[in-house]
Amino acid sequence: MIAVLKHELRLYFHSLTAYVFGAFLLAFVGIGAMLYNIQAAVSNFEFVLSFGSLVFVVIVPILTMRVIAEERKQKTDQLLYALPITTAQVIIGKYLSLLIVYLIPLCIICVYPMIFSQYGEIYLLTSYGSILAFFILGAALIALGVFISSLTDNQGFAAAIGIAAILLNYYSVSLSEYVSATASGSLIALCVIVLILGAVIRYLTKNEKLAYGIGFILIALLLILYFVDASIFEGLLPRIMEQLSLFERFNTFVNGVFDMTAIVYYLTFIAFFLFLSVQSLEKRRYN
């Protein structure tokens, strides 16, 4: 795993990827600090991070698009299977290298509240709590990007899907106001989600019986619940969209609340998508 980590770090820092990522992140947070802390004389550095979180839509897909897709394109992923380590260790090594690339500019950002505190009153506890949440938010999005990269050998396609997925998550709370809140609308949407889940399971496992079986059972359960008590589904889809939003949970930290449930959600999100990434590589190994 350490060998994979070192190899990935050399690739990032011998190319422009790490530098472009860091430059974009620092530039966006710097613009936010200028607008909020300097021009508007606002003492809340956490507002800067809320503004800066939008940059993840672009920089995370750019950082993660090649992590596995390039290996598949160059056929070097076959060499990974010959290493004396497990597939999980390969994914963790690659993921940790991405976190290090992300952590370097974030360490520079950690200096900002200390600088601003010399010229005014800054809520350091809230600021650094928000920086911690900002790091975990980015780590969760990077895990999603790793999984998307594992599904294709086309870097451009991986980046496009990553941008779309993160953008959808960013605006999910706003979009929840426009989706159907009726019981039937929620039922239809959930059935579509189950079908998509079945397609992902089929792709990862190449087991049609498993995919169709899980899909059939989940849809049957949804229909039974709907006919037993349709009121359960009223407003369910908007609530799900709000609960799944990574950015909405980050806003609780911006508002000065250290939410442990959000931390647990982020860590679960990371573990889930890293697990899917491992399964994606394992599927390719056996194919």
Side-chain angles (χ1 to χ4, degrees), residues 50-193:
S50 180
F51 169 81
S53 64
L54 181 60
V55 76
F56 285 132
V57 174
V58 177
I59 64 175
V60 168
I62 290 176
L63 179 65
T64 60
M65 65 181 182
R66 60 152 296 277
V67 62
I68 299 176
E70 182 66 12
E71 300 273 11
R72 295 183 61 172
K73 182 179 180 181
Q74 302 294 337
K75 306 299 182 184
T76 54
D77 60 330
Q78 304 300 321
L79 298 176
L80 297 176
Y81 304 133
L83 296 176
I85 56 176
T86 64
T87 306
Q89 290 175 314
V90 171
I91 292 294
I92 292 173
K94 287 178 172 290
Y95 179 69
L96 289 178
S97 69
L98 292 169
L99 287 188
I100 292 173
V101 171
Y102 171 43
L103 192 59
I104 291 173
L106 201 60
C107 289
I108 299 175
I109 291 173
C110 287
V111 181
Y112 291 9
M114 297 300 297
I115 295 176
F116 293 140
S117 67
Q118 302 300 312
Y119 303 96
E121 184 180 355
I122 297 292
Y123 307 106
L124 292 178
L125 190 61
T126 306
S127 297
Y128 283 105
S130 298
I131 289 175
L132 174 62
F134 191 77
F135 169 71
I136 302 177
L137 168 63
L141 295 173
I142 288 172
L144 174 62
V146 170
F147 170 64
I148 293 173
S149 180
S150 71
L151 298 177
T152 179
D153 58 3
N154 188 317
Q155 293 186 47
F157 182 72
I161 296 299
I163 290 173
I166 297 174
L167 196 62
L168 178 62
N169 191 271
Y170 185 85
Y171 287 109
S172 62
V173 174
S174 300
L175 292 174
S176 67
E177 300 175 2
Y178 300 98
V179 300
S180 174
T182 63
S184 58
S186 297
L187 176 64
I188 293 171
L190 289 174
C191 288
V192 172
I193 293 173

Side-chain angles (χ1 to χ4, degrees), residues 11 35 67 73 77 84 105 114 120 148 163 189 218 222 226 260 268:
L11 286 178
L35 294 176
V67 62
K73 182 179 180 181
D77 60 330
M114 297 300 297
I148 293 173
I163 290 173
L218 291 178
L222 289 174
Y226 180 78
M260 279 304 299
T268 304

